[in-house]
Amino acid sequence: MTSTARGSSTGIGELALIDAIGAALERRPASRIVRWLGDDAAVVRAGAFAVTSVDAMVEGTHFKLGPRCGPEDAGHRALAGALSDLAAMGAAPGEAYLAVVLPAALGRDDVLALHRGAEALARETGTTIAGGDLTGGPALLIAVTVVGWAEDERELVGRDGARPGDLVGVTGDLGASAAGLAVLEGRAPGDDALVRRYLRPRPRLEEGRALARAGATAMLDLSDGLASDARRLAEASGVTLALDAASLPLAPGVRDVAEALGRDPLELAASGGEDYELCAVLPPERRAEGAAAGLTWIGEVVEGPADVTWRSAPPGAERWRGWEH
């Protein structure tokens, strides 16, 4: 991947834009970067295990630019979604690479704002944006590749280790992003704090590493909604997740937004998606460690087909689904 190479083609066509983007980015202290912006490829000093994920966001599908959602928000959201995958593996953050397709309507200041938004989150999370690419196209697309690191494979957590008797928990609270989107689109009244949760999600990198150290047997991030993501974990592990809807931690304001939308707040929390919290499974003897890492316990793993069951839930909960690709 080029490191904002000058041969890249954009509708803006300004070499100064490449230099301005480079000036907005910084290497993190003690980063693994040997060579970065200005060369044809980044050179990184490797660790024992590289953890790599690619995530793409397209305007009109994952966000819509407007008065309350600017390019800086889009840059933050795109990087946050990719870093959340590293959090779900328990990896330490390392490098990110942004490939951006720019429509003609997006100006120079907008492009810089997009990268500033990504860089601000990179700084907060200890990530270095080590390169990327710019090109012109019909719609804004932000494709982010992130690389995290681990010194021992046993430090990492997949989706396939859940066993009957394990406990299921989630970090943070649920439903804020879906509620925030409804407020942003004018479908419901609500607090600006909910809108910010949609626009600026926080990848749970520290919590992911803490849960890995606590002995998590399986973990994934809640990008598509607990109702769908928990089912993916169940399928990978070959077990049933028996979840208690009444135990779901609802974000402040979700009940009011759900009422305005005519939806059950538990259903909104379970199916809304893009909360980027973590769903983790731990052995029962690690209950205290999981709680210390920020988990709220919402169920347990039982023998049975690869599925999710709900108790203390409204009728029809078995049909709850999040975003299905």
Side-chain angles (χ1 to χ4, degrees):
M1 178 175 287
T2 60
S3 297
T4 57
R6 292 177 181 272
S8 300
S9 173
T10 72
I12 299 171
E14 297 180 8
L15 293 179
L17 176 62
I18 304 297
D19 295 329
I21 292 173
L25 305 179
E26 299 177 1
R27 298 192 212 196
R28 305 282 82 83
S31 78
R32 298 175 180 272
I33 303 298
V34 177
R35 302 188 69 87
W36 69 326
L37 307 180
D39 283 301
D40 287 312
V43 180
V44 179
R45 187 179 297 105
F49 292 90
V51 184
T52 306
S53 181
V54 181
D55 201 55
M57 291 194 180
V58 182
E59 184 183 9
T61 300
H62 302 94
F63 61 90
K64 185 176 182 180
L65 295 180
R68 300 178 70 183
C69 177
E72 198 163 326
D73 298 309
H76 176 112
R77 275 178 56 79
L79 181 57
L83 287 175
S84 186
D85 290 332
L86 298 186
M89 300 293 293
E95 298 75 47
Y97 305 86
L98 274 63
V100 185
V101 177
L102 304 171
L106 208 66
R108 178 181 185 276
D109 290 345
D110 295 328
V111 179
L112 291 175
L114 186 155
H115 286 82
R116 281 199 305 271
E119 171 63 16
L121 180 61
R123 186 183 304 111
E124 292 176 20
T125 57
T127 303
T128 297
I129 299 177
D133 195 22
L134 300 174
T135 190
L140 176 60
L141 180 148
I142 311 168
V144 182
T145 300
V146 289
V147 182
W149 300 96
E151 292 306 314
D152 191 313
E153 185 180 5
R154 291 170 296 182
E155 298 174 11
L156 303 172
V157 184
R159 300 179 177 183
D160 58 352
R163 297 293 178 264
D166 287 350
L167 304 177
V168 182
V170 294
T171 60
D173 49 33
L174 305 178
S177 183
L181 178 59
V183 174
L184 181 65
E185 293 179 339
R187 293 183 284 118
D191 195 284
D192 284 346
L194 289 172
V195 176
R196 186 166 182 82
R197 289 282 298 273
Y198 167 75
L199 294 175
R200 302 287 183 111
R202 318 305 301 184
R204 295 291 193 173
L205 288 157
E206 292 184 8
E207 292 86 343
R209 296 176 72 187
L211 288 166
R213 291 192 298 268
T217 57
M219 189 158 57
L220 83 174
D221 73 320
L222 300 181
S223 55
D224 295 329
L226 176 65
S228 289
D229 289 325
R231 184 166 279 100
R232 295 184 179 109
L233 192 152
E235 291 170 351
S237 293
V239 295
T240 295
L241 299 191
L243 304 184
D244 180 6
S247 296
L248 298 184
L250 301 186
V254 167
R255 290 187 182 277
D256 292 338
V257 171
E259 181 179 353
L261 295 173
R263 296 175 64 178
D264 187 284
L266 296 175
E267 186 267 337
L268 183 63
S271 64
E274 294 194 324
D275 282 316
Y276 295 110
E277 297 293 349
L278 300 178
C279 177
V281 177
L282 278 78
E285 62 269 21
R286 295 299 184 94
R287 175 187 289 269
E289 291 92 335
L295 289 183
T296 297
W297 301 113
I298 62 168
E300 59 278 332
V301 180
V302 299
E303 292 186 4
D307 201 359
V308 174
T309 63
W310 294 95
R311 62 179 181 271
S312 305
E318 69 279 359
R319 296 189 297 274
W320 286 354
R321 296 291 186 277
W323 176 258
E324 300 286 349
H325 297 275

